[in-house]
Structure formats: structure tokens, C-alpha cells
């Protein structure tokens, strides 16, 4: 049974948690953040201040979502993040 939750620390959460939705959401957010970062780079290169401001705002929103997702997971997991959870949450 634990093989579907590989990467968890030896002390298991009191209630079995399905990490997959959290991992999937974080993976999706990281991809969005990377796209926003690329838009920022392109806007700076093109000296497009409006596009840069929009991309920076998107990246800030995504970072907030990543933090909230991590906090929610920590709360549901007895105040601890599972081992192997994403090391860098912010950008």
C-alpha cells in the first residue's frame, strides 16, 4: 500500500494522505511560474513595461498559490511537510 506514496518520511501521517493531488497541482504551478518567468525575460528584452508588469503580477499570484498549497498540505499532515516535498516553494 505505501508504494503509491513513495518519498514519504518514515513517520506516516495519522490519516493516510493522498499526496498526488498536491504534487500534481504544484507541478502545474511550477510550469506556470516558469512560463511567467520566461514572459518576464522576454518583456525586459523587448523593453515592454506593460507585458513585464503583467508577467510579474502573474508570477506573484502563482508564488502565493504555491505557498498556500504547501501550507494546506502541512496543516493536513500534522504540521509537517512530507519528506521530498518541493524544496523551493517560492521563486
Amino acid at each position: 500500500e505505501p508504494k503509491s506514496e513513495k518519498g514519504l518520511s518514515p513517520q506516516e501521517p495519522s490519516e493516510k494522505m493522498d499526496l498526488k493531488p498536491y504534487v500534481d497541482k504544484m507541478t502545474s504551478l511550477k510550469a506556470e511560474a516558469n512560463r511567467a518567468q520566461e514572459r518576464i525575460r522576454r518583456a525586459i528584452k523587448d523593453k515592454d513595461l506593460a507585458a513585464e508588469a503583467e508577467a510579474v503580477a502573474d508570477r506573484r499570484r502563482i508564488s502565493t498559490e504555491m505557498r498556500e498549497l504547501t501550507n494546506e498540505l502541512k496543516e493536513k499532515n500534522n504540521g509537517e511537510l512530507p519528506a521530498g516535498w518541493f524544496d523551493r516553494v517560492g521563486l
Side-chain angles (χ1 to χ4, degrees):
E1 180 182 316
K3 70 180 163 211
S4 67
E5 294 184 349
K6 61 183 181 266
L8 280 181
S9 54
Q11 78 278 358
E12 294 290 322
S14 56
E15 59 192 50
K16 278 281 189 215
M17 275 198 65
D18 181 10
L19 287 179
K20 188 174 180 349
Y22 289 93
V23 171
D24 290 349
K25 178 71 174 165
M26 183 60 87
T27 301
S28 168
L29 286 169
K30 281 188 165 287
E32 272 188 70
N34 289 338
R35 286 192 296 272
Q37 188 63 45
E38 188 51 46
R39 285 171 38 223
I40 291 169
R41 282 194 201 99
R42 202 168 34 247
I44 290 170
K45 184 171 163 268
D46 296 344
K47 296 180 173 43
D48 185 341
L49 296 178
E52 181 184 351
E54 184 182 321
V56 166
D58 282 351
R59 187 183 64 183
R60 192 171 294 126
R61 174 189 54 79
I62 294 162
S63 285
T64 299
E65 282 188 54
M66 292 168 127
R67 251 189 321 279
E68 288 171 354
L69 182 69
T70 299
N71 290 341
E72 179 185 325
L73 174 59
K74 188 174 181 178
E75 194 176 297
K76 289 185 175 178
N77 194 42
N78 302 320
E80 307 231 341
L81 287 174
W85 181 247
F86 294 84
D87 295 328
R88 270 194 5 242
V89 173
L91 295 171

